[in-house]
Amino acid sequence: GDSVTQMEGPVTLSEEAFLTINCTYTATGYPSLFWYVQYPGEGLQLLLKATKADDKGSNKGFEATYRKETTSFHLEKGSVQVSDSAVYFCALSRGSARQLTFGSGTQLTVLP
Amino acid sequence: ETGVTQSPTHLIKTRGQQVTLRCSSQSGHNTVSWYQQALGQGPQFIFQYYREEENGRGNFPPRFSGLQFPNYSSELNVNALELDDSALYLCATTTGTGGVIDQPQHFGDGTRLSIL
């Protein structure tokens, strides 16, 4: 079945550091890929998405490129802020599938 | 602020009891999905409702059931509660025909259910 594997956390960075959170997936066909962010005490918010190979999703300084050859969708940001501290989830959906399949999440803490 | 409201925010039950969780969708959203998020894990899909009909189900037993009402609000019912049911329950709503996921899903803040 479909699965998503994220790098294990927690990840702790200083403000203005470069961020990479790795995500790889297993799925048949051509899934759509997503990054969601969850702030403490809140639900999930869609951060960015990509629906086909080589697409780059971007939002709020975050970027991720859909790499079909490596089945990856790594999240990057050039300069993190304290306000980026949250849990980040990589997810996929396939074709007519009705659900999102999530990774286990990566806790990011950014220190001032 | 997503416009998706879940109630209650917190709930404590004991094993064997039954619970009903509620979700009010953003205006115009005709599709609602429910997810279970155990502590330290990603959300797991329970089921989806589209125009009052179940439209897909994950690997959850029949004691997890749901309803969607004509105004598109929804309920998740869990019978015979077990300790492993302790989790954050999230609903997500969207528009579309049958809930194909390429359209943005708007999540509520969840209901934290604790089973003693």
Side-chain angles (χ1 to χ4, degrees):
Chain A
D2 299 342
S3 66
V4 176
T5 302
Q6 288 182 236
M7 68 183 284
E8 299 210 356
V11 174
T12 302
L13 297 173
S14 298
E15 204 165 26
E16 299 184 1
F18 184 85
L19 169 70
T20 300
I21 301 178
N22 289 339
C23 171
T24 58
Y25 67 88
T26 300
T28 56
Y30 301 92
S32 295
L33 302 174
F34 307 82
W35 278 100
Y36 280 82
V37 58
Q38 187 174 36
Y39 297 101
E42 298 184 11
L44 279 73
Q45 300 175 26
L46 178 63
L47 182 59
L48 53 83
K49 71 175 185 179
T51 57
K52 61 183 188 295
D54 300 324
D55 268 1
K56 177 185 284 188
S58 61
N59 186 25
K60 300 180 181 179
F62 291 89
E63 294 182 339
T65 301
Y66 187 142
R67 301 288 188 200
K68 186 161 177 61
E69 64 276 12
T70 55
T71 62
S72 65
F73 193 55
H74 305 321
L75 182 68
E76 296 182 336
K77 187 175 185 182
S79 176
V80 293
Q81 306 300 311
V82 172
S83 58
D84 293 327
S85 298
V87 181
Y88 292 81
F89 292 93
C90 185
L92 69 80
S93 71
R94 269 194 305 113
S96 62
R98 303 293 188 250
Q99 71 266 33
L100 290 159
T101 299
F102 287 89
S104 59
T106 302
Q107 171 79 55
L108 171 65
T109 301
V110 180
L111 303 176
Chain B
E1 183 67 36
T2 65
V4 180
T5 304
Q6 292 188 243
S7 63
T9 55
H10 295 87
L11 200 52
I12 300 174
K13 292 286 188 177
T14 57
R15 280 186 303 173
Q17 286 188 310
Q18 178 267 341
V19 69
T20 297
L21 310 182
R22 294 179 175 82
C23 173
S24 295
S25 68
Q26 186 167 328
S27 177
H29 283 190
N30 57 14
T31 303
V32 62
S33 302
W34 285 91
Y35 290 82
Q36 180 196 66
Q37 186 180 11
L39 195 63
Q41 300 296 315
Q44 299 287 318
F45 175 72
I46 303 174
F47 45 57
Q48 184 186 88
Y49 278 80
Y50 169 64
R51 294 189 174 180
E52 304 177 56
E53 299 283 334
E54 188 178 291
N55 191 46
R57 189 177 183 92
N59 190 26
F60 280 80
R63 60 189 185 85
F64 286 79
S65 63
L67 284 173
Q68 187 180 31
F69 300 98
N71 66 354
Y72 301 138
S73 65
S74 177
E75 289 182 352
L76 164 65
N77 299 289
V78 187
N79 294 322
L81 287 166
E82 301 177 359
L83 293 178
D84 285 349
D85 296 334
S86 294
L88 179 69
Y89 289 84
L90 297 164
C91 77
T93 72
T94 189
T95 56
T97 53
V100 174
I101 295 295
D102 281 354
Q103 302 180 38
Q105 299 267 312
H106 298 267
F107 282 83
D109 289 343
T111 294
R112 175 73 62 187
L113 175 63
S114 299
I115 310 301
L116 303 180

